[in-house]
Amino acid sequence: MPVYLRKGPLEIPQGSEKDWANEEQEEDYFLRDPEQSQDSLPQPYRMIAKVVELLIDQAIQEISIRQDTREAEKLKAKLNVLQPAAEIHVSKRVTCMAVGGSYLFAGLSEGLAVYSLTDRDWICGWEANKVEVCALTVCQVQDQVDFLSTVDDMGIARLFYFCDENLSFVKAFNEPEDLSKRTNCVAFQLSQGGDYAGVLLEGLGDICLEVYKLPKDIWIKELEPSQAAVPSQNATPSDTPPATLPVMTDLKITPPALLMKIRPPKPLSGSVFRSVQEAVQKNEDSGVFGTGQNHLISPHQWDQQDSIFLGMFEKYLRLDLPSTQDGKMSRNTRFNFLRQNKLMDSEAMNADLPTAIILHWDACQNLLMYQLGKQIKDKSDGDLKPDVVWPCAAPIKFSAISSCSSYLTFGLEDGTLTVWDVKHSGFPIGVVVLPEGKSVGSLYFLEHISSNGDPPAVPKAKVVVWCTDRSLYLVTAAGGQESSLVLLHDSAGSPDDLISAVVPVSSLPNGVLLFYRSAKVKLLDVAERQPVCQFGLPMPYTLAFPWQPVYVLDAMNRCLFLKANEKRVSGEILTHENATCSLFAFSLEGLESMIKTHQPAVLQSQSVHWEERCKSLFQLRLETFSERRKQIAESWTLLRKQASDFTRNNTLSR
């Protein structure tokens, strides 16, 4: 048998692919695709394909070059830097701020302080040892009369009364006598006008929402003599406030009335009813949809269904299920006060008074609504029945309501966002699904100041969605039109470019303040999706705690207050003694020219007379009459056919 030997020394070939194109001409090339002859095009189509591919590559290269140039121009463009108009030096550590009327309220590490917005002077204050105010809101009751709601670091909710430049302590809602039985206040909210107060309490493995009726008219009469007896404090210079602030805690006033105490619904379990009639009689009002508690599923059936489900989908279920959220039952719990709306048949004499409170619990798919004006038999009953139950497809993660109480929006855990017109129609005006992987973190309405309260012909709302990954979106929802979702800020980039706070500016229709981790504060035009200016601090100050900034926006006076600290050298520790800071005031006057103030359709339609509006709606109804008549006829034909088929099947079965 002949043996063929290769001449020359044996060498290992190099593992390079650069000569594979030349190897195609060799007869012994065994890596050739067997369908290569079918994939290649014949001439002249092969040449045309190469020309088209070359043109596409050149177009993509040109597009990338232009995009890089555009991004570079945006980075080179210098924003207009606004300088502060005034400075307030505070000798204590400021934790939060709020604005009411012509006064600035500051929460301190040991109490409260009030400053004048006109001359930035210290007015009055309240001091308490080891009481650090963490949350502060102001509600205007009357002219020169404000309510202050505070929550300190120990979870105590307090209510204050401010009138005639004097501050009075009114009530602590959850201050315990025994510290072992203390409940923490998670949220403390006052209704617009100060008629109601909601306190969300959590502690000892329990959570509840207490709703109070505040006798504000009676308080004004009772506190008027005590306010007049307090000496004037304006004689103290603004830079050296007194060491001991006045404390007024011995006031004898009418306590607020507890309207209701709401607890989260119990988890679904086996039925305790023996018949359908007993379950139906448990509901006082048969018109309520219900939360699913009154059912006839026995515990045995419940366990059987669970075992069947686990047996069928055991391989799809993850064993590393997330545990409870560190015992925080109120993580996604939110409540808001609603004025006169179409979701509840409530007769309110005054449209400005709240008529209901809307609430959703953590990991709950139901939006619950309770009427405020009705009489409740047992206020301490933990099984209080809601007046309206609003079921959703997934657990509700966040909700928000506009300042005019006209629009309501809530985001679900599956990324769905819904906007409702609760005041005029009671119907949804937009549904948007966020991109995959995005989750709702916070929702903000872009408010529009309107002088007329007539219902708009086309309801329209803009919602800024701040996701958990620090990305920012704009949702525009309008009745009868498709909702839009626009990306305002992406989360990709360096950690310094991440957003730490979002503040809509009601006086500027398309203006939103953005706080960054890099201690920058910019004003964003959501219509153009570009920043228009930046707020700068004088040397050597920088924004205090940019990951959790302390700020307040005065929309009425168009002023922004920022807390700033002096820059510290590396290694220097900020102690309690040198915890002084400065509050810088920025004027927002003149920024209207920087933002494209597109007038929304809501405000344009308000100038139309109601007779002309009714005429246009009636004309539109007449134009669609023939189409609606055709649809009704088709529906009746289909119903007759289904009825005849049903009758025929029953006859054959007999």
Side-chain angles (χ1 to χ4, degrees):
M1 181 175 181
V3 178
Y4 298 96
L5 299 176
R6 186 187 296 266
K7 295 181 180 181
L10 297 177
E11 296 180 357
I12 299 176
Q14 299 179 358
S16 176
E17 301 179 0
K18 61 180 180 179
D19 297 329
W20 278 22
N22 298 330
E23 292 179 358
E24 293 181 0
Q25 300 176 1
E26 298 181 4
E27 296 180 358
D28 57 348
Y29 181 61
F30 60 89
L31 294 177
R32 181 177 299 172
D33 189 359
E35 298 181 358
Q36 184 71 24
S37 60
Q38 299 179 6
D39 294 340
S40 61
L41 296 174
Q43 292 290 358
Y45 302 105
R46 191 186 309 167
M47 181 183 64
I48 296 175
K50 289 183 179 180
V51 173
V52 172
E53 291 177 359
L54 179 61
L55 292 176
I56 293 176
D57 293 340
Q58 291 178 355
I60 293 176
Q61 185 178 4
E62 183 68 22
I63 290 173
S64 61
I65 292 174
R66 292 186 180 182
Q67 186 175 3
D68 294 341
T69 304
R70 191 180 299 112
E71 295 294 334
E73 290 178 355
K74 288 182 180 180
L75 294 176
K76 291 180 181 179
K78 294 184 179 180
L79 296 177
N80 183 21
V81 180
L82 299 181
Q83 299 298 327
E87 177 185 358
I88 301 176
H89 184 73
V90 184
S91 59
K92 294 184 179 293
R93 181 160 51 92
V94 178
T95 56
C96 54
M97 291 186 292
V99 173
S102 58
Y103 300 96
L104 172 66
F105 302 91
L108 306 178
S109 57
E110 293 183 352
L112 292 171
V114 184
Y115 296 88
S116 174
L117 291 179
T118 55
D119 50 11
R120 276 71 178 178
D121 289 339
W122 182 88
I123 301 297
C124 62
W126 174 80
E127 186 180 74
N129 189 19
K130 297 181 180 180
V131 175
E132 180 178 339
V133 179
C134 298
L136 171 63
T137 57
V138 178
C139 176
Q140 185 176 5
V141 179
Q142 293 181 0
D143 293 339
Q144 304 298 325
V145 177
D146 297 320
F147 283 167
L148 277 71
S149 60
T150 65
V151 180
D152 62 8
D153 56 344
M154 298 300 292
I156 305 299
R158 294 181 176 87
L159 183 65
F160 293 86
Y161 177 87
F162 180 76
C163 179
D164 294 333
E165 298 186 350
N166 291 313
L167 189 63
S168 303
F169 172 76
V170 177
K171 179 179 175 57
F173 287 88
N174 61 326
E175 190 170 9
E177 298 180 358
D178 187 2
L179 294 179
S180 61
K181 299 180 180 180
R182 179 172 59 91
T183 58
N184 297 327
C185 175
V186 180
F188 185 16
Q189 183 178 344
L190 300 176
S191 65
Q192 190 174 3
D195 296 280
Y196 298 93
V199 184
L200 183 61
L201 302 176
E202 180 180 5
L204 301 176
D206 190 15
I207 181 173
C208 67
L209 174 64
E210 296 181 354
V211 183
Y212 293 88
K213 171 66 176 177
L214 303 182
K216 60 179 185 179
D217 297 332
I218 301 177
W219 283 353
I220 293 175
K221 297 179 181 179
E222 292 177 346
L223 294 175
E224 185 176 359
S226 60
Q227 293 285 338
V230 175
S232 179
Q233 304 168 16
N234 294 335
T236 305
S238 60
D239 55 346
T240 59
T244 303
L245 305 180
V247 181
M248 300 179 61
T249 58
D250 54 348
L251 299 176
K252 302 298 182 181
I253 60 175
T254 303
L258 178 62
L259 289 183
M260 58 185 73
K261 194 172 184 178
I262 308 172
R263 298 185 184 275
K266 300 177 181 179
L268 296 179
S269 59
S271 175
V272 296
F273 304 109
R274 292 173 294 181
S275 62
V276 180
Q277 291 78 8
E278 186 178 355
V280 173
Q281 291 176 359
K282 184 66 177 177
N283 289 332
E284 298 179 358
D285 186 6
S286 59
V288 180
F289 184 83
T291 58
Q293 301 291 335
N294 300 337
H295 57 82
L296 292 179
I297 303 176
S298 63
H300 175 69
Q301 292 175 327
W302 206 274
D303 298 337
Q304 187 178 10
Q305 290 294 329
D306 290 342
S307 60
I308 294 174
F309 179 80
L310 293 176
M312 294 178 61
F313 303 101
E314 183 178 2
K315 60 180 180 179
Y316 301 105
L317 297 176
R318 296 181 180 179
L319 298 179
D320 53 344
L321 295 176
S323 58
T324 58
Q325 302 167 353
D326 300 332
K328 294 183 178 180
M329 305 170 57
S330 58
R331 180 174 182 139
N332 295 329
T333 302
R334 297 289 185 277
F335 65 94
N336 295 284
F337 290 96
L338 281 178
R339 286 182 284 183
Q340 193 172 3
N341 56 85
K342 294 293 184 179
L343 303 179
M344 179 179 294
D345 297 332
S346 57
E347 298 179 359
M349 300 299 294
N350 190 355
D352 295 333
L353 290 177
T355 59
I357 183 171
I358 192 167
L359 165 71
H360 64 87
W361 298 100
D362 185 28
C364 183
Q365 300 184 204
N366 294 327
L367 201 67
L368 309 177
M369 189 178 298
Y370 299 86
Q371 190 174 352
L372 295 176
K374 67 176 183 179
Q375 296 292 334
I376 301 176
K377 298 179 181 179
D378 189 0
K379 301 176 184 178
S380 62
D381 186 13
D383 193 16
L384 188 63
K385 299 295 187 300
D387 296 283
V388 175
V389 179
W390 198 337
C392 299
I396 304 173
K397 195 170 184 181
F398 200 90
S399 63
I401 188 171
S402 60
S403 62
C404 59
S405 192
S406 299
Y407 303 104
L408 171 69
T409 178
F410 51 86
L412 308 181
E413 285 190 356
D414 58 357
T416 306
L417 181 70
T418 310
V419 184
W420 289 74
D421 179 12
V422 297
K423 184 176 181 180
H424 304 296
S425 64
F427 292 100
I429 60 176
V431 179
V432 174
V433 180
L434 297 177
E436 187 177 359
K438 303 292 183 179
S439 180
V440 177
S442 300
L443 301 173
Y444 307 92
F445 275 97
L446 292 183
E447 308 290 352
H448 297 281
I449 299 177
S450 174
S451 59
N452 195 349
D454 296 336
V458 180
K460 184 176 181 181
K462 293 183 179 181
V463 182
V464 176
V465 185
W466 190 22
C467 300
T468 53
D469 61 348
R470 303 300 177 179
S471 59
L472 199 65
Y473 289 87
L474 175 65
V475 175
T476 303
Q481 301 178 7
E482 185 177 358
S483 303
S484 62
L485 180 67
V486 179
L487 177 64
L488 298 178
H489 185 273
D490 196 1
S491 59
S494 62
D496 292 339
D497 294 335
L498 296 179
I499 300 176
S500 58
V502 179
V503 185
V505 185
S506 59
S507 58
L508 302 176
N510 291 322
V512 176
L513 291 174
L514 299 181
F515 292 78
Y516 295 88
R517 292 285 184 90
S518 59
K520 295 181 180 179
V521 184
K522 297 181 181 180
L523 178 62
L524 179 69
D525 185 1
V526 298
E528 298 294 329
R529 290 180 288 174
Q530 292 183 1
V532 295
C533 67
Q534 183 176 343
F535 299 88
L537 295 172
M539 294 295 293
Y541 288 94
T542 182
L543 185 66
F545 307 107
W547 56 90
Q548 193 176 0
V550 178
Y551 60 88
V552 65
L553 177 64
D554 184 9
M556 182 179 299
N557 299 319
R558 297 191 177 185
C559 186
L560 173 65
F561 288 89
L562 299 178
K563 175 189 173 182
N565 292 333
E566 295 185 12
K567 293 183 179 179
R568 306 285 174 175
V569 297
S570 59
E572 185 178 357
I573 301 177
L574 185 64
T575 59
H576 180 72
E577 287 77 16
N578 59 356
T580 60
C581 63
S582 295
L583 307 180
F584 290 94
F586 295 86
S587 178
L588 302 182
E589 295 290 344
L591 296 181
E592 295 85 354
S593 59
M594 298 183 182
I595 296 182
K596 295 183 178 297
T597 56
H598 303 291
Q599 196 74 354
V602 177
L603 300 183
Q604 291 178 354
S605 62
Q606 291 177 352
S607 59
V608 183
H609 196 267
W610 68 273
E611 293 182 355
E612 298 179 0
R613 192 180 308 164
C614 293
K615 184 178 179 181
S616 62
L617 293 176
F618 183 71
Q619 185 68 25
L620 180 63
R621 186 76 174 175
L622 290 177
E623 293 176 358
T624 59
F625 176 74
S626 58
E627 183 178 357
R628 289 186 289 104
R629 186 176 181 180
K630 182 180 178 181
Q631 293 177 356
I632 293 174
E634 293 176 356
S635 300
W636 277 110
T637 303
L638 181 61
L639 288 174
R640 292 191 187 96
K641 182 179 178 180
Q642 292 178 354
S644 61
D645 294 342
F646 182 75
T647 305
R648 190 184 305 109
N649 294 335
N650 288 342
T651 304
L652 293 176
S653 62
R654 293 176 183 176

